[in-house]
Amino acid sequence: MRIVIAGATSALGIETARRLEEAGHDVVAVGTNAERLEAVPAAERAVVDLTDPAAVEQLATRLGDVDGLVHLVGGWRGGGGLAGQTDDDYDWLEARVVTTLRNTTRAFAGAIGRSTAGRIAIISTKGVEKPTAGNANYVALKAAAETWLAAVGHELRETAAETHVIRVKALVTAQERAASPERKFPGYSDVTDVAQELAELFA
């Protein structure tokens, strides 16, 4: 299968790409930093501003047939209760969490719907189950992303395609555990486990 990873340069993106390639899939790694993209195992790499709908449409046109989209664009800003939920932080998060998802799903949904086993997956947060004031911007936008993906699923309801949401509290790498051996990271999800879960969607 040919799978686009949006936001591929994170630790999760790199590990997911590696596992997909090991399973025999062709990975298209997409990000904004060409140097960092070189670290991602992929059949093809593309430097694209995913907040720009025209640029994403051009990418989709160039790629043609694809079978999957793994959306890993994100980030976190917050804290400070409701008073700390600034407009700047909201705009920063909205561009990454929601706008990039809207742009990529609109551009690639048609091709994924034509696949015999199309998949679209996002990473969300367990925080949407129990929002806190200090996380309000973040969880509101993650909830919006989940709702948007549900609408994408409705669009693809008459195809073989599926949409998937994987919720985590937070991610942790082996390097982070080694750097802070005194920390327990309670409830955190290991990047390798989440990458495997993503890869298995395309099995």
Side-chain angles (χ1 to χ4, degrees):
M1 299 176 75
R2 195 177 190 206
I3 301 159
V4 176
I5 300 181
T9 60
S10 66
L12 179 58
I14 292 170
E15 183 65 17
T16 301
R18 185 180 70 78
R19 294 191 177 232
L20 287 170
E21 284 221 319
E22 287 177 350
H25 302 300
D26 288 336
V27 172
V28 181
V30 183
T32 57
N33 187 305
E35 184 177 352
R36 291 178 63 192
L37 276 173
E38 288 301 317
V40 184
E44 188 172 350
R45 300 173 183 85
V47 178
V48 179
D49 177 3
L50 295 174
T51 67
D52 181 348
V56 179
E57 286 287 352
Q58 289 173 3
L59 174 66
T61 299
R62 180 171 67 79
L63 292 178
D65 290 338
V66 299
D67 300 285
L69 169 67
V70 178
H71 182 276
L72 302 179
V73 186
W76 183 86
R77 288 186 180 182
L82 290 182
Q85 306 301 294
T86 69
D87 290 346
D88 285 345
D89 285 350
Y90 185 91
D91 292 343
W92 186 89
L93 287 166
E94 191 279 335
R96 288 156 179 78
V97 174
V98 179
T99 296
T100 59
L101 179 63
R102 290 178 66 245
N103 289 344
T104 52
T105 50
R106 285 190 295 180
F108 289 107
I112 291 170
R114 292 189 295 272
S115 171
T116 57
R119 301 287 186 270
I120 302 175
I122 67 171
I123 302 298
S124 188
T125 175
K126 293 180 179 178
V128 299
E129 302 163 8
K130 192 174 182 180
T132 63
N135 236 3
N137 280 344
Y138 180 72
V139 295
L141 289 164
K142 281 294 191 178
E146 290 192 21
T147 301
W148 177 268
L149 190 64
V152 174
H154 180 263
E155 175 84 356
L156 297 173
R157 66 193 182 280
E158 296 182 0
T159 76
E162 298 176 1
T163 60
H164 295 269
V165 176
I166 297 175
R167 288 180 178 174
V168 300
K169 175 183 176 180
L171 295 170
V172 63
T173 65
Q175 292 79 7
E176 288 169 333
R177 290 187 189 277
S180 303
E182 74 286 357
R183 290 187 62 187
K184 300 299 183 183
F185 298 98
Y188 282 44
S189 298
D190 196 285
V191 161
T192 58
D193 294 334
V194 179
Q196 183 61 30
E197 187 173 355
L198 287 166
E200 287 175 355
L201 296 177
F202 298 92

